[in-house]
Amino acid sequence: MERITEQKYILDSNTSPNSFYGKNEEFITLIEQSFNSRLIPRGSEIKIIGEPQEVELVNEILHELEETYKKNKKLTTTDIITTLQIYNINSSVMGEINPARSALESDIVVQTVSRIIKPKSEMQERLLKAIFQSDLVFVTGPAGTGKTYLAVAMAAHFLKNGTVKKVVLSRPAVEAGESLGFLPGDFKEKIDPYLKPLYDALAEMIPRDVLKKHFEYENIEVLPLAYMRGRTLSNAFVILDEAQNSTFMQMKMFLTRLGQNSKAVVTGDITQVDLHPDKQSGLISSIEVLKDVGKIEFIEMSEQDVVRHPLVKHIIDAYDKFAAINIKKDTSQE
């Protein structure tokens, strides 16, 4: 394993740190997202921590950006992306070529900030291709098929590339309906357990320090479905997880939040609806309502796509068989 080194880049006395770092240090974050190294700005110094070869490269890029700053008296996001392209940092996903074309002409992979993710089944590959190609994708299937994990990976990928400016992850908190008031803490503390699977998925895709900055700058939001009402989400990648527990009207509300240059992925398991029997599942109804609408992809996974512990597939099979037997018993008794 290569050793970790530390180096300081010191800005010229005529360079304003605030202007060079960008609002809320957004330029530093953009550079940092393209590397495994950490960048820590303090005053006129930027501490770079990482593997020696990468640290040297980051140092060169900072120098090039400072020359651009001196020439133009300012820096822009375009300056950052262009410089990274020149140095061939993630050039295939920085807008130089169509990301869908890149993925579909080769073995499809997803590059997040901290790891490369590959599909492990044919349906998983279809899901990734569908997200590249379409602005709205519905994916259904049992637990363990990677629905949420891959959707979050794609969101991290698009955010890292600069294709979107924001990621919004949402879940209906139907389990909280009657018991929420009895849980300790404020509302955030009460609702966080229902959103934890989304936090867990993010934590696997994005290094802790980078993820913390995204939350601070509100580049990433994780929130209950009810909090989506009244918003318009432009330049965003939006995920509705556990959508089988949304109602008909909640699903309509969610789908109409999409603004310009946004993508949405809706995931759920239609066999695990926790709604009251008199309420219609928004996921199940939307599949019927939208089946003839163009430019919407529907992906249906099965137990064959389960990628968790090998036992999970057998557990799903056993429950399906048990349910089938009981349905036959009920039918014969009528």
Side-chain angles (χ1 to χ4, degrees):
M1 184 176 179
E2 189 150 16
R3 63 188 178 86
I4 300 298
T5 189
E6 179 180 313
Q7 190 176 127
K8 287 183 181 179
Y9 182 87
I10 302 176
L11 297 174
D12 186 274
S13 59
N14 294 320
T15 300
S16 164
N18 289 338
S19 299
F20 188 79
Y21 300 157
K23 184 179 179 181
N24 295 323
E25 298 178 358
E26 61 180 331
F27 296 156
I28 297 296
T29 300
L30 186 56
I31 298 169
E32 192 174 50
Q33 286 173 357
S34 297
F35 296 94
N36 292 320
S37 300
R38 292 181 59 201
L39 277 70
I40 306 173
R42 291 288 185 272
S44 61
E45 293 183 355
I46 304 173
K47 186 184 296 184
I48 313 166
I49 304 172
E51 296 179 356
Q53 187 175 357
E54 191 173 87
V55 167
E56 288 294 335
L57 182 56
V58 173
N59 190 76
E60 288 183 32
I61 290 172
L62 290 172
H63 175 74
E64 184 67 29
L65 287 170
E66 189 168 19
E67 291 301 309
T68 301
Y69 173 86
K70 290 177 181 177
K71 178 181 178 181
N72 301 329
K73 308 299 182 186
K74 64 176 183 178
L75 272 184
T76 66
T77 301
T78 301
D79 292 330
I80 308 295
I81 293 175
T82 301
T83 302
L84 290 170
Q85 285 180 334
I86 290 171
Y87 280 82
N88 201 31
I89 304 302
N90 300 315
S91 59
S92 65
V93 292
M94 278 291 183
E96 187 173 278
I97 61 176
N98 186 316
R101 182 178 298 276
S102 170
L104 297 176
E105 290 181 351
S106 61
D107 291 335
I108 187 167
V109 297
V110 179
Q111 173 69 64
T112 67
V113 174
S114 60
R115 61 189 303 184
I116 294 175
I117 295 168
K118 296 182 179 181
K120 295 183 178 180
S121 72
E122 182 181 346
M123 292 306 294
Q124 284 196 354
E125 184 169 354
R126 281 188 58 189
L127 172 59
L128 296 184
K129 288 180 179 180
I131 295 173
F132 272 118
Q133 293 175 313
S134 304
D135 289 339
L136 177 56
V137 177
F138 287 83
V139 52
T140 58
T145 52
K147 305 183 301 295
T148 302
Y149 187 83
L150 290 176
V152 174
M154 289 295 281
H157 172 80
F158 277 91
L159 182 64
K160 174 178 180 289
N161 299 349
T163 307
V164 298
K165 296 181 179 179
K166 185 184 221 29
V167 168
V168 179
L169 311 179
S170 185
R171 266 188 165 196
V174 295
E175 303 97 327
E178 293 182 0
S179 60
L180 189 61
F182 297 97
L183 295 174
D186 58 22
F187 183 77
K188 184 179 185 302
E189 291 171 328
K190 292 176 181 180
I191 207 69
D192 272 354
Y194 301 100
L195 303 174
K196 192 174 186 303
L198 298 176
Y199 286 113
D200 290 345
L202 280 171
E204 287 197 38
M205 312 292 173
I206 303 175
R208 183 181 299 176
D209 291 347
V210 178
L211 186 59
K212 183 179 179 182
K213 287 185 178 181
H214 279 315
F215 280 123
E216 288 176 357
Y217 304 155
E218 296 186 346
N219 296 329
I220 296 177
E221 289 185 82
V222 182
L223 71 170
L225 178 58
Y227 277 39
M228 299 284 283
R229 189 174 301 279
R231 302 183 64 179
T232 299
L233 298 168
S234 300
N235 299 304
F237 193 114
V238 192
I239 297 172
L240 176 58
D241 191 40
E242 296 289 342
Q244 75 275 5
N245 290 327
S246 65
T247 64
F248 182 92
M249 291 307 297
Q250 284 177 328
M251 178 62 76
K252 181 181 178 182
M253 177 272 291
F254 171 81
L255 295 175
T256 54
R257 299 308 92 202
L258 291 181
Q260 294 295 317
N261 190 39
S262 288
K263 282 183 177 286
V265 179
V266 178
T267 75
D269 180 355
I270 60 175
T271 69
Q272 298 292 326
V273 179
D274 297 317
L275 293 170
H276 191 277
D278 65 357
K279 290 186 177 180
Q280 187 178 17
S281 167
L283 176 59
I284 295 173
S285 58
S286 64
I287 293 173
E288 178 65 24
V289 170
L290 302 174
K291 64 182 180 181
D292 296 324
V293 177
K295 299 183 180 180
I296 300 177
E297 290 274 359
F298 297 91
I299 305 294
E300 186 176 352
M301 293 185 172
S302 70
E303 63 274 5
Q304 302 302 320
D305 301 296
V306 171
V307 292
R308 288 182 183 171
H309 192 287
L311 269 177
V312 174
K313 180 180 180 300
H314 297 299
I315 290 169
I316 293 170
D317 286 342
Y319 270 90
D320 287 345
K321 290 176 182 177
F322 180 82
I325 291 171
N326 279 275
I327 289 173
K328 288 181 179 179
K329 284 182 178 178
D330 292 343
T331 304
S332 63
Q333 291 174 359
E334 289 179 355

